[in-house]
Amino acid sequence: MTRMHTWLHGRWGIPAVSGAAIVVSLALTHLLKAPLWGDLFMIAAAVVAGTPVVVKAVRALRNRVIGIDLLVSVAAIGAVLVRNYWEAAAVTFLFAIGHALEQATLNKTRSALAELVAVAPEVAIVLRDGQQVEVPASAVTPGETVLVKNGAKVPVDGEVIAGAGALDEASITGESIPVEKSAGDTVFAGTISTGGLLQVRADGVGADTTLARIIHRVEEAQDAKARTQTFMEKFSAWYTPGIMVLALVVGLATRDVVLALTLLVIGCPGALVISIPVSIVAGIGRGARDGILIKGGEFLETSAKIDVVALDKTGTLTEGRPELTDVVPLDEGLTANDLLQLAARAEAGSEHPLARPIIAAAVARGLDVTGLPEHTEPVPGKGIIATLDGHSIAVGNLALMSSGDATDRAATLINELAARGRTPMAVSRDGRVVGVVAVADRIRDNAAEMVRRLHAVGVKKVVMLTGDIAPVANAVGDAVGVDEVRAALLPEQKLEAVQELQRQGHTVAMVGDGVNDAPALATADIGVAMGAAGTGVAIETADIALMADDLLKLPQAISLARRTVNNMRQNITVALVTVAALLAGVLFGGVTMAIGMLVHEASVLVVIVNAMRLLRRTPAGSARRRQLEQRVDVEQRDAAAGADLDDARALQSS
C-alpha cells in the first residue's frame, strides 16, 4: 500500500491516472455506447494531466516568462472550449508522460553527481583514549587518528601515520587501479580500502575534504550556463510569443480554431530549450567520473576550441624530482666518489633545488656529508662558493671558474650533457676545475604519448614554456615531440608567450603547477591544473582540474569537450528540424494536435538520449584502463615469480 501511494505521488502518478481515465472514456464511448460519460472521463483526463501544466504556466507568467507550459495550457483549454475533448486529453496526457520521461532521463545525466554523493562516508572509527569509537564522519576532529579497515571507506582527508594497505581512488582520480598506501602517504575521503589496515591522522573533515570540494564544484559546473545555452534561452523568449502570434494570425485568417491550437502545440520549443543544458550536464558528469573537473558550460565550450596547448616542463612533462645522473672527475687525483662528496659538502649550505639530488646521491653511496661549510656564498645566476676545510669550492656554471685546460674540457663536457637533457654543473677547488656533476629530471613515461594524442584530438601546436636553459629544454622537447620550445623564460615571459599565441588567433590552454606559472595560467583561455586531488585551491580556481597526476587526462578532457559541443549541435539540429517539419505538416495538412504533441515529445526524448551517450566511457578511456590493469597484472606476476625464486633459494640454502 505504501509503495503504491509513493508511486502515485511520484513522477508517474499523474500520467497513470490520466491514462486510465482516457481508457475508461474510450470504453464507455465505443463499447458501452455512453458518449456523455465518455466525454466526462475524457475531460477528467485532461484536467488531471493539465492542471499541473496550467499552474506552472501561471507561475511563469507572474515572472513575465512565456514558456512551453503556456502554449500547452492555451491549446488544451481551447480544445475543451471547442468540444474537442480527445485532443485536449491526448495533448495533456502526452505532455505529462514526456515530462515524467524527461525527469527520469535527466536524473540519469546527473548520475555522476549522485555517485559522488553516494561514496561520501557516513561513519568513521576513531581512536579515543585507546578505544575504537564509531562516530559520524562529520564528528571527527582534525588531528584525531582514524582507523581504515579492509573494505571500509576513508572518512577524512589525511596522512597515513601507521599501517599499510591499498585504496581504490576511482571516486577522486577516475582510476580504478588500487594505490598502495603506507606511512607518510596522503589519503582522501570517499576512497575505499581494498586491503590492509591504515591509521590516518585527520586533516580535512566534512566540507573541507577533497570529495566535498569536488561535489560542490560539479554542482556549480552542471548549473553554469554555456554561451550557446544563454543564446538559446534568449531565442526562446522571442520564439514562444512569436508562435502565439502566428497561431492567432492563422486562426483569424482561416477561421479554423483547431488549426490555430494545433500550431501552438506543434511550435513548443521543448527540445530546443533542453538541447544545450542536457548535453552540458552529461558531459561534465562524464568528466567527473573520469577525474576531470570542468568549471562549467562556458569553459566546456571554450575547451572544445583549444588548438594550442602550452606546457611547463618541470613537474608537467617531467616528474619534478631531479636525480643525479653523471659524476665526471677531471682531476687525476680525484675519484668519482671524491668529486661527489666534495660537491655535496659544498652544497650542504645551499638552498638551491639542485643541491638536494646531489646530497641525496652522496648519502645513498654512503659518503660522509655531515656538517656545514665554514662559509657559503650564493652567486645569483651562477651557483655557490663555499669554504670547506680551508679550500674555496665552487659549484655552478663556468662563469664561476678560472680559465685553463680543465675549464675548456669542462665546457665541452657541459655542452654534451646539456644536449642530452641534463643540467650540468662544474666543480672547482681553489679556482681550478676538478670535475662536472649533472642532474636530470626524468621525463614522464606518457609524455610523448600525451603529445601524440593531443595532435590526434585536433590540437595544432604543443608548445613547451620553461625557465630551463635552451639545450636541456630542446632535449626534452625532442624526446616528447612538442612542436615548439621556448626556454629560459621568466614567469612574466611565459605570460607574454601565451598572449602572443592568443594574438595569432589561437585558443590556448596552459598546463602548469600554478606557482611560477600563475600569470600564464590566468591569462590562457583555459587554465589546467594537473594532479589537483590534493590541492583544494586548484579544484576551486582552475578552469579544468585533472585530479590524477596523469598527462593522458589532458587529451581526454579536450576530446570530451569536443564531443559535448558536437552533441549540443546535434541536439539543436534535431529540435529545429522537428519543429520545422511539424509546422509544415500542420500548415499543409495531415498533422493533428495529438500527433504533433507525440512527435514533439519524441524529439525531446531523442535529444536527451543523444546527450546520455556522453555518459559512456570512451574507447580511449577504456583502453587506458585495460593498459593499467595489464601493467598491474604483469607487476604482480613478476613479484610472485620473484617471491617464488626467493623461497627456492631459501630452501636450497637450508
Side-chain angles (χ1 to χ4, degrees):
M1 188 68 181
T2 305
R3 185 177 297 176
M4 178 63 73
H5 181 271
T6 303
W7 188 80
L8 285 173
H9 283 76
R11 68 171 68 98
W12 295 106
I14 288 174
V17 173
S18 178
I22 290 173
V23 171
V24 171
S25 172
L26 294 173
L28 287 169
T29 302
H30 299 290
L31 297 179
L32 301 178
K33 306 302 180 184
L36 180 59
W37 283 101
D39 288 345
L40 288 174
F41 271 92
M42 198 65 78
I43 293 171
V47 170
V48 168
T51 300
V53 182
V54 173
V55 170
K56 288 180 182 176
V58 171
R59 288 175 179 168
L61 278 175
R62 286 175 180 169
N63 293 315
R64 299 180 180 178
V65 175
I66 299 175
I68 303 168
D69 295 302
L70 180 62
L71 296 182
V72 175
S73 299
V74 172
I77 292 170
V80 170
L81 293 176
V82 298
R83 304 175 69 83
N84 197 336
Y85 306 129
W86 156 248
E87 294 286 359
V91 165
T92 53
F93 170 67
L94 288 170
F95 192 74
I97 284 183
H99 181 70
L101 286 171
E102 185 181 314
Q103 288 301 311
T105 48
L106 274 175
N107 286 344
K108 278 215 165 187
T109 63
R110 289 187 176 269
S111 58
L113 183 58
E115 288 177 11
L116 285 173
V117 173
V119 301
E122 296 178 354
V123 297
I125 298 175
V126 297
L127 287 178
R128 291 179 177 173
D129 299 325
Q131 300 294 318
Q132 296 185 25
V133 182
E134 186 174 292
V135 299
S138 58
V140 177
T141 304
E144 282 193 300
T145 299
V146 177
L147 295 183
V148 180
K149 301 179 181 180
N150 185 21
K153 293 179 182 177
V154 180
V156 297
D157 282 5
E159 181 180 320
V160 178
I161 56 176
L167 296 179
D168 179 354
E169 296 186 335
S171 58
I172 302 295
T173 65
E175 297 294 347
S176 64
I177 307 301
V179 180
E180 296 293 331
K181 298 289 183 180
S182 57
D185 289 334
T186 301
V187 299
F188 304 107
T191 54
I192 302 171
S193 172
T194 59
L197 173 66
L198 298 174
Q199 293 184 40
V200 177
R201 185 190 68 238
D203 295 330
V205 178
D208 291 331
T209 63
T210 298
L211 179 64
R213 285 191 289 267
I214 292 173
I215 292 172
H216 175 67
R217 175 67 177 271
V218 174
E219 283 178 334
E220 286 188 334
Q222 290 188 335
D223 290 335
K225 294 178 181 178
R227 284 188 292 268
T228 305
Q229 182 182 352
T230 303
F231 168 77
M232 293 307 297
E233 288 179 354
K234 290 179 180 177
F235 171 76
S236 296
W238 288 96
Y239 171 85
T240 305
I243 287 293
M244 296 186 74
V245 171
L246 175 64
L248 179 62
V249 170
V250 170
L252 292 173
T254 63
R255 298 186 181 279
D256 188 341
V257 177
V258 174
L259 176 62
L261 295 175
T262 303
L263 275 174
L264 286 178
V265 172
I266 298 308
C268 290
L272 199 59
V273 171
I274 204 172
S275 59
I276 308 301
V278 71
S279 295
I280 289 172
V281 167
I284 289 174
R286 176 70 265 170
R289 285 183 181 178
D290 292 336
I292 300 168
L293 296 189
I294 302 172
K295 202 169 189 177
E298 179 182 349
F299 301 97
L300 194 67
E301 280 191 299
T302 303
S303 298
K305 301 174 186 174
I306 292 171
D307 60 349
V308 171
V309 172
L311 300 156
D312 181 36
K313 178 181 78 69
T314 306
T316 303
L317 289 174
T318 62
E319 294 181 349
R321 295 187 296 272
E323 296 177 351
L324 184 76
T325 56
D326 299 88
V327 181
V328 184
L330 296 176
D331 186 305
E332 293 180 359
L334 287 179
T335 65
N337 279 352
D338 292 336
L339 177 63
L340 178 58
Q341 184 178 31
L342 192 66
R345 290 187 63 196
E347 289 281 14
S350 170
E351 297 179 353
H352 196 276
L354 296 182
R356 288 193 293 271
I358 294 173
I359 296 169
V363 172
R365 294 190 187 187
L367 304 177
D368 182 15
V369 293
T370 56
L372 293 173
E374 291 98 83
H375 175 72
T376 302
E377 179 188 352
V379 183
K382 295 182 179 180
I384 62 154
I385 299 175
T387 303
L388 200 63
D389 301 331
H391 296 281
S392 175
I393 310 296
V395 182
N397 59 33
L398 289 177
L400 276 175
M401 318 296 166
S402 302
S403 59
D405 292 341
T407 306
D408 295 336
R409 288 161 55 203
T412 302
L413 181 58
I414 284 171
N415 291 333
E416 290 175 358
L417 291 171
R420 288 156 60 188
R422 296 167 186 177
T423 302
M425 291 164 280
V427 181
S428 72
R429 182 169 55 190
D430 296 328
R432 183 172 180 273
V433 176
V434 294
V436 174
V437 296
V439 299
D441 192 359
R442 198 166 75 91
I443 298 173
R444 292 178 185 263
D445 294 335
N446 52 12
E449 176 65 11
M450 181 266 297
V451 174
R452 187 190 69 78
R453 291 194 187 183
L454 284 174
H455 287 139
V457 300
V459 174
K460 296 176 183 176
K461 185 189 290 187
V462 181
V463 182
M464 185 172 77
L465 307 178
T466 179
D468 212 338
I469 60 175
V472 175
N474 289 329
V476 173
D478 291 341
V480 301
V482 299
D483 302 295
E484 185 179 335
V485 175
R486 301 191 185 191
L489 300 179
L490 297 172
E492 57 268 25
Q493 291 174 315
K494 291 184 180 182
L495 165 63
E496 291 168 3
V498 169
Q499 290 174 328
E500 179 188 332
L501 291 167
Q502 290 173 323
R503 284 194 297 270
Q504 293 171 5
H506 297 295
T507 301
V508 183
M510 176 69 194
V511 188
D513 58 17
V515 183
N516 63 333
D517 303 316
L521 282 165
T523 303
D525 297 284
I526 293 293
V528 182
M530 194 175 71
T535 313
V537 174
I539 294 173
E540 296 297 336
T541 58
D543 300 326
I544 296 179
L546 308 179
M547 304 308 293
D549 196 18
D550 181 1
L551 286 173
L552 299 185
K553 293 284 186 185
L554 179 59
Q556 187 180 346
I558 295 174
S559 173
L560 174 64
R562 293 190 172 169
R563 288 191 298 118
T564 302
V565 169
N566 286 336
N567 193 275
M568 288 161 51
R569 290 171 181 159
Q570 293 163 6
N571 285 347
I572 292 171
T573 302
V574 167
L576 291 176
V577 168
T578 301
V579 170
L582 286 175
L583 286 173
V586 171
L587 294 174
F588 295 105
V591 176
T592 64
M593 192 186 301
I595 291 174
M597 179 55 71
L598 180 62
V599 174
H600 169 266
E601 292 301 336
S603 71
V604 171
L605 290 178
V606 167
V607 162
I608 295 174
V609 170
N610 185 47
M612 288 177 64
R613 293 189 303 116
L614 293 169
L615 295 175
R616 296 183 303 184
R617 184 175 294 278
T618 62
S622 301
R624 167 70 176 157
R625 186 175 295 272
R626 285 195 299 271
Q627 188 180 31
L628 283 168
E629 289 171 349
Q630 289 169 359
R631 190 173 71 190
V632 169
D633 288 342
V634 169
E635 289 173 353
Q636 289 175 342
R637 285 199 300 271
D638 290 346
D644 291 342
L645 187 61
D646 290 342
D647 291 343
R649 286 171 176 164
L651 268 171
Q652 204 170 30
S653 62
S654 62

